Amino acid sequence: MSVLHNNSVDRISVLAAPDEGVLRFLDYMDEQMLAFESAHSLFKPNAHLRMCVELLRRHFQGKVTSPTLLIDISGVPYATATRRLNELVESGLINRRARHKSERSFTLHPSDQLLTLWIQMAKDNHLLVNNTINLTEKSSEPDERFYGSDYFSERLGPPLNVLSSPLSLPGGLRMLSHSDPTFLIMNNLKRHFELIVGCPIHHRSYSLDKLYDEAVENSGRDKSSYDLVAVNFPWIGEFAERGMLLPLDTLIDIDAMSPTDFHAASWRASHWGGRCYGIPVETTSEVLMYRTDLFEQEGIQPPTTIDELLAAAKKLHKPEKQIYGIGWNGARGTALSHTFMMAMADFGQPIIDLAADGEEFSIAGLGSRKYRSMIDSEAGMSAAKFLIELLKYSPPGILNMSWYERTKSYAQGQVAMSYSFSQMTPYFEDDESSPAKDNTGFIPHPAGSGRKPISPLGGFILGIPSNLSERRIQEAAIALETFTSARAQSLYVKNGSRGCSRYSASEDPNIRINSPIFDAVDQLAIQDQLQAWPRPPTPEFGAITQFCGVVLHEMLRGVITPEEALSRAHEGVQKLIENWQ
């Protein structure tokens, strides 16, 4: 898998090595076999077990295994080893996969049956050793931890297995994605996924604006340069209306993807006009992160309203100590536009006149109805004044700060609070030197106007470009199902991702202890506070963010008044809506 990163987000350090617990248990079994075999000449090598141990080890390391290699390490004569290997294949413990569809040579891979059997063996062995040498205290409850227990989830079943047939994509699988922690983790698992799909994977990563530009440019090419593209949730309307993505209901069994396993907001946001255009691969929410230790020192409660937020920011703002009240996206363009949209939502109004849905708003039917700008409104003015007020308690350079910079500022202890998407928490949770590590609380956006606090939905789907060569489409769909499966998403989470789209992928207690963000996001979803409407996926969304972010930046720099900024932004957005084609 080759990679091209185009911004600084790849500076995060993520762990993507094979699970050490699994490999330790395999090493332990190797040593046990060697101890018995060398104890006496009558103790013959167990060819079945030797071959299974080596095959499993290489599978978890992302290495291809040939029949010759297993025969060589079996410890028995060639003819005997060949028979033993055939027995493992015939029993269903080992799968054979053709190297290429037209070839007769095969690679060998553990089956789901062998992987499941190995989980149980590891568990039983751990309990047996503990009971024998009394490593753990006696308890009425059995010890459920075992070698590799943080790798496996019984709810999910065994780890990802190889596809029955390798993907025969000339040049390999080509992916276009965002350069954030989740996709960096996917890339760091390259050897494992190349083994799973049976072909090279070429992964190109861009910052958000460049990703959008490249996806749009790619849609104009005669043939797509990518088999799979990552699409930010608010872009769905434009990409679907422009015919840039293939609807998936004719390519994959949507019901087999277990829609109820996804956060409801992200699953709804992956649809347009009643059709599914992608599968959520990363679901994140924008929350307010705050330093629990600083709040405790000052006797401050976590804010639930805009007024409480401003009061907390004022009290925690101590420039003389180089600690500032709050970090947020103030950078010109897309970053500031997103901040303004979410601030308007905090005051109870999306930027367009979405239909009410109880206490919230509905994004359903956006492609079949006319709508108008709501920027020049009471909520718009409240949001504009709120951002101007935030400037007083923000760090220097706030008007150049976007997604990465605000999280970095929080991780380094420069700000006491920060708006941030939940998938960014490894920047401080995995940094022992960060003052925010183990001192961070997560809450939804404090609200104004008596509104219920909500958390704006963020993240990406994986979709298939509509101009992809026809002969590549079906195999791209197989790859899409693989990368968004529960087992794959569990692997991302296990390796450090905080942008989990499936409930089942993060339910393992051994995973959840890595970060409180999993519980926080799940609670937001359960309480219906995770919402997509603050950034409505209108077809004009890309143009709206680029336009508004320039006008609003002039306002924050004091070049124009809030009234003038809202008027210009409102008129510009209304023209974009009326003229969009």
Side-chain angles (χ1 to χ4, degrees):
M1 179 187 285
S2 61
V3 188
L4 177 62
H5 293 299
N6 296 84
N7 76 350
S8 60
V9 178
D10 61 339
R11 283 175 279 183
I12 187 172
S13 174
V14 291
L15 173 65
D19 183 82
E20 293 300 324
V22 175
L23 297 179
R24 282 201 306 273
F25 180 62
L26 292 168
D27 290 342
Y28 164 76
M29 290 299 296
D30 251 350
E31 293 295 330
Q32 282 284 71
M33 286 188 292
L34 180 61
F36 281 114
E37 292 165 6
S38 60
H40 197 280
S41 60
L42 290 178
F43 297 159
K44 303 298 183 184
N46 185 323
H48 289 135
L49 192 55
R50 274 194 172 197
M51 287 190 280
C52 285
V53 167
E54 184 62 22
L55 179 65
L56 287 161
R57 177 187 289 113
R58 294 179 66 82
H59 176 74
F60 292 123
Q61 292 175 338
K63 297 179 180 179
V64 175
T65 304
S66 67
T68 302
L69 188 147
L70 292 191
I71 288 171
D72 287 345
I73 61 92
S74 66
V76 298
Y78 182 87
T80 302
T82 302
R83 288 196 300 273
R84 299 293 179 264
L85 181 56
N86 288 335
E87 289 167 0
L88 288 169
V89 173
E90 292 167 4
S91 70
L93 292 173
I94 292 180
N95 290 334
R96 297 195 307 172
R97 184 171 76 179
R99 290 182 181 273
H100 301 284
K101 291 182 178 179
S102 59
E103 290 190 6
R104 295 184 178 179
S105 61
F106 295 88
T107 55
L108 301 176
H109 307 274
S111 67
D112 275 357
Q113 181 183 349
L114 178 56
L115 289 166
T116 302
L117 178 65
W118 202 255
I119 295 171
Q120 192 59 47
M121 286 178 61
K123 186 173 183 179
D124 290 346
N125 183 82
H126 176 77
L127 293 174
L128 178 61
V129 170
N130 277 356
N131 290 336
T132 302
I133 62 177
N134 197 28
L135 286 177
T136 59
E137 295 181 2
K138 296 297 182 182
S139 172
S140 59
E141 296 294 329
D143 185 358
E144 291 296 323
R145 292 193 59 80
F146 58 96
Y147 285 122
S149 62
D150 54 342
Y151 191 96
F152 304 120
S153 168
E154 294 182 6
R155 177 181 174 88
L156 291 172
L160 268 174
N161 202 351
V162 299
L163 299 178
S164 57
S165 297
L167 299 182
S168 56
L169 293 167
L173 179 70
R174 304 167 305 194
M175 293 181 63
L176 174 65
S177 69
H178 187 221
S179 49
D180 74 7
T182 295
F183 289 105
L184 292 175
I185 287 166
M186 290 174 66
N187 173 62
N188 286 350
L189 292 165
K190 63 183 181 67
R191 292 177 62 185
H192 189 68
F193 277 102
E194 287 176 337
L195 176 66
I196 297 302
V197 300
C199 72
I201 300 174
H202 307 286
H203 190 111
R204 175 164 285 190
S205 296
Y206 286 105
S207 61
L208 192 65
D209 283 341
K210 290 183 179 179
L211 171 62
Y212 173 84
D213 291 341
E214 174 63 11
V216 171
E217 183 176 336
N218 180 67
S219 71
R221 296 168 183 154
D222 291 337
K223 295 294 181 183
S224 173
S225 300
Y226 309 99
D227 300 296
L228 299 176
V229 294
V231 180
N232 199 210
F233 283 122
W235 302 343
I236 296 294
E238 178 181 356
F239 282 37
E241 287 288 318
R242 290 191 185 278
M244 295 166 59
L245 296 173
L246 289 174
L248 298 180
D249 45 14
T250 60
L251 298 176
I252 64 177
D253 184 348
I254 298 296
D255 289 337
M257 297 299 295
S258 302
T260 57
D261 191 29
F262 292 89
H263 289 95
S266 64
W267 185 254
R268 289 194 299 266
S270 66
H271 290 64
W272 184 261
R275 305 190 74 178
C276 180
Y277 284 90
I279 305 299
V281 67
E282 177 188 73
T283 295
T284 181
S285 62
E286 186 170 89
V287 295
L288 180 70
M289 301 178 180
Y290 66 96
R291 286 278 300 279
T292 54
D293 54 336
L294 298 182
F295 270 63
E296 183 177 350
Q297 290 172 17
E298 298 290 343
I300 306 173
Q301 293 298 313
T304 60
T305 68
I306 293 294
D307 288 342
E308 290 174 353
L309 171 67
L310 291 172
K314 181 178 181 179
K315 192 167 187 179
L316 294 164
H317 188 65
K318 300 177 180 180
E320 70 281 3
K321 296 183 179 180
Q322 295 187 323
I323 297 178
Y324 305 92
I326 189 167
W328 46 286
N329 278 0
R332 183 176 185 268
T334 301
L336 178 56
S337 281
H338 285 243
T339 295
F340 179 73
M341 290 181 188
M342 296 178 188
M344 273 194 67
D346 295 338
F347 285 97
Q349 175 63 61
I351 62 166
I352 59 174
D353 60 331
L354 291 175
D357 182 15
E359 292 186 82
E360 309 301 339
F361 296 88
S362 174
I363 62 172
L366 266 180
S368 59
R369 61 177 288 265
K370 293 183 179 180
Y371 45 86
R372 59 190 176 88
S373 169
M374 295 297 292
I375 291 177
D376 197 359
S377 63
E378 183 179 348
M381 181 58 69
S382 295
K385 291 181 177 179
F386 169 58
L387 297 185
I388 292 172
E389 188 71 12
L390 279 186
L391 287 174
K392 300 177 182 178
Y393 315 116
S394 301
I398 188 64
L399 296 184
N400 293 314
M401 188 173 285
S402 59
W403 290 273
Y404 171 71
E405 288 78 19
R406 66 180 179 178
T407 306
K408 178 183 176 182
S409 180
Y410 179 78
Q412 294 179 343
Q414 296 170 356
V415 294
M417 297 181 287
S418 182
Y419 289 108
S420 183
F421 278 111
S422 54
Q423 91 276 23
M424 305 296 279
T425 63
Y427 282 107
F428 55 87
E429 288 182 329
D430 296 345
D431 182 357
E432 294 294 335
S433 66
S434 172
K437 180 178 173 60
D438 300 325
N439 287 316
T440 295
F442 307 100
I443 56 175
H445 279 212
S449 306
R451 295 284 303 180
K452 178 180 74 174
I454 62 169
S455 180
L457 173 74
F460 293 83
I461 64 164
L462 279 183
I464 300 176
S466 57
N467 58 337
L468 182 63
S469 174
E470 188 173 348
R471 63 192 177 91
R472 300 178 72 93
I473 289 175
Q474 196 55 53
E475 295 203 332
I478 294 171
L480 172 62
E481 291 182 88
T482 301
F483 282 107
T484 58
S485 68
R487 293 186 189 182
Q489 297 211 17
S490 177
L491 192 59
Y492 308 149
V493 172
K494 178 258 176 184
N495 278 275
S497 170
R498 303 294 188 260
C500 186
S501 290
R502 289 180 177 266
Y503 288 109
S504 61
S506 63
E507 283 189 345
D508 189 330
N510 296 305
I511 290 175
R512 297 181 80 86
I513 61 174
N514 293 327
S515 173
I517 197 62
F518 295 118
D519 285 327
V521 174
D522 282 356
Q523 285 302 310
L524 290 170
I526 292 169
Q527 295 170 15
D528 204 29
Q529 291 177 286
L530 184 59
Q531 295 287 335
W533 63 261
R535 298 186 301 166
T538 66
E540 312 86 4
F541 185 86
I544 288 173
T545 56
Q546 292 175 10
F547 174 78
C548 288
V550 173
V551 175
L552 294 168
H553 202 260
E554 291 184 6
M555 177 192 75
L556 293 181
R557 290 189 294 115
V559 177
I560 58 177
T561 65
E563 290 78 8
E564 184 179 355
L566 292 184
S567 177
R568 283 173 51 184
H570 176 86
E571 292 176 4
V573 168
Q574 191 60 41
K575 287 181 181 179
L576 289 171
I577 293 172
E578 293 170 355
N579 298 331
W580 190 87
Q581 295 179 350

